[in-house]
Amino acid sequence: MKKQELISFLEGFAPKQYAEHWDNVGFLLGKKEEELSKVYICLDVQRRSVEEAIAHSCNFILSHHPFIFQGMKSVTGDNEQGRLLLSLAEHKISVFSMHTNFDSVKEGMGDLICSKLSWKKEGVLQEVAPSSEGMSQGIGFYTRVDKAFSCEELAAYVKEKAALPYIEYFDSGRPIQKIAVCPGSGKSFMKDVIASGADAYITGDLGHHDAVDALGEGLSLLNAGHYGLERFFVPYMSEQIRRHFPKIDCVEEEEFFVGKIL
């Protein structure tokens, strides 16, 4: 089959109009009319991803984070992104990225993580569009649990359910029932989460000052890391592609937590 057939499916799964205005999603490199051999699925297009794709004879990479994000004035071997682009072009490997559009759609990142944590989605942090069933589509989600957690109990629950090697938590001291979740980096939604009356917020890329500000407002924080929850994109999209295209061979990037904690 042609690469175009897979591209059409991916564009239908997470339409480009659901992406944030600053994002760069969709078909970013390659020729749509080429034959598709194998698909390599990863979170980030980095050196190890490209080398693995080449080693497995993949000629299509599906990533969550866009490989080409900011403007480029040249493509040379003088920097890592240039070297990777040249290597991808040399091996005729196309790249397609699904980022905030995947985060926003029904059966995308929010629904995936909500299911992983065995919770019921009750709303979104940032609405993109209403669905046909009346539930808003958008980034992140809110949920309410029947039995209140302490912050430590919630951290232990998320760590186990998401199979995380570590999790950082900041305890406001109040019982937790209303929970906000934004996989990846969700600092930009902090004011909205506080205004919503949530008791705890689970996201990634949190720092000292984020914690100080949140605790001052009575909001507990759980830092699951940027990679911690978003990594489920890889096996999930592999399953979706196999379901619709049984003859396509997908290679899933092995889990790799960049940071280490002693």
Side-chain angles (χ1 to χ4, degrees):
M1 62 180 275
K2 303 291 185 183
K3 292 179 180 179
Q4 176 62 66
E5 193 172 345
L6 176 60
I7 290 167
S8 296
F9 167 73
L10 297 173
E11 289 175 338
F13 188 96
K16 197 170 185 176
Q17 63 263 31
Y18 290 150
E20 294 288 300
H21 66 90
W22 46 261
D23 208 357
N24 188 35
V25 300
F27 191 59
L28 303 182
L29 179 68
K31 296 181 178 180
K32 298 179 179 180
E33 65 273 16
E34 291 177 342
E35 289 291 325
L36 179 67
S37 57
K38 293 182 185 177
V39 180
Y40 187 86
I41 306 175
C42 58
L43 204 69
D44 299 283
V45 182
Q46 52 188 308
R47 172 60 55 187
R48 63 191 298 268
S49 311
V50 174
E51 290 176 350
E52 282 292 303
I54 294 170
H56 286 89
S57 299
C58 299
N59 70 346
F60 194 104
I61 290 178
L62 170 61
S63 71
H64 180 48
H65 296 140
F67 176 47
I68 302 172
F69 191 66
Q70 297 177 329
M72 298 178 66
K73 293 186 176 181
S74 64
V75 179
T76 71
D78 294 335
N79 58 70
E80 180 64 356
Q81 188 175 33
R83 288 189 291 271
L84 292 181
L85 271 168
L86 291 170
S87 183
L88 289 164
E90 179 186 351
H91 290 87
K92 297 184 177 180
I93 300 174
S94 299
V95 178
F96 190 101
S97 300
M98 302 165 68
H99 191 212
T100 54
N101 53 330
F102 177 78
D103 293 341
S104 299
V105 297
K106 187 175 183 292
E107 298 184 359
M109 187 69 80
D111 290 319
L112 168 60
I113 301 307
C114 198
S115 176
K116 281 283 180 185
L117 297 175
S118 301
W119 287 338
K120 181 181 178 182
K121 183 177 177 182
E122 297 183 1
V124 298
L125 272 63
Q126 177 178 290
E127 182 176 307
V128 173
S131 72
S132 57
E133 295 82 13
M135 174 66 76
S136 295
Q137 293 179 213
I139 295 175
F141 65 90
Y142 291 101
T143 189
R144 187 178 294 274
V145 294
D146 295 330
K147 183 180 178 181
F149 285 102
S150 69
C151 189
E152 183 177 2
E153 289 170 339
L154 180 60
Y157 177 87
V158 173
K159 183 174 184 284
E160 179 183 1
K161 281 285 189 178
L164 299 172
Y166 50 80
I167 189 168
E168 183 179 27
Y169 67 94
F170 304 90
D171 189 353
S172 73
R174 83 183 190 200
I176 296 168
Q177 282 196 285
K178 184 175 182 179
I179 303 166
V181 183
C182 181
S185 182
K187 289 191 290 185
S188 61
F189 300 117
M190 193 77 75
K191 289 182 180 179
D192 296 323
V193 170
I194 291 170
S196 76
D199 304 311
Y201 184 31
I202 305 167
T203 188
D205 293 346
L206 296 172
H208 170 78
H209 294 292
D210 303 310
V212 169
D213 293 345
L215 292 176
E217 298 288 347
L219 176 70
S220 293
L221 292 181
L222 278 73
N223 186 1
H226 198 124
Y227 181 76
L229 297 182
E230 286 194 331
R231 75 189 200 276
F232 296 113
F233 168 87
V234 175
Y236 179 71
M237 284 310 301
S238 178
E239 178 188 347
Q240 295 298 321
I241 292 172
R242 287 190 177 104
R243 182 183 303 169
H244 288 84
F245 302 98
K247 293 183 179 180
I248 291 182
D249 188 5
C250 294
V251 178
E252 300 176 22
E253 179 179 59
E254 292 184 9
E255 287 191 2
F256 181 76
F257 285 80
V258 178
K260 299 291 187 293
I261 292 182
L262 293 174

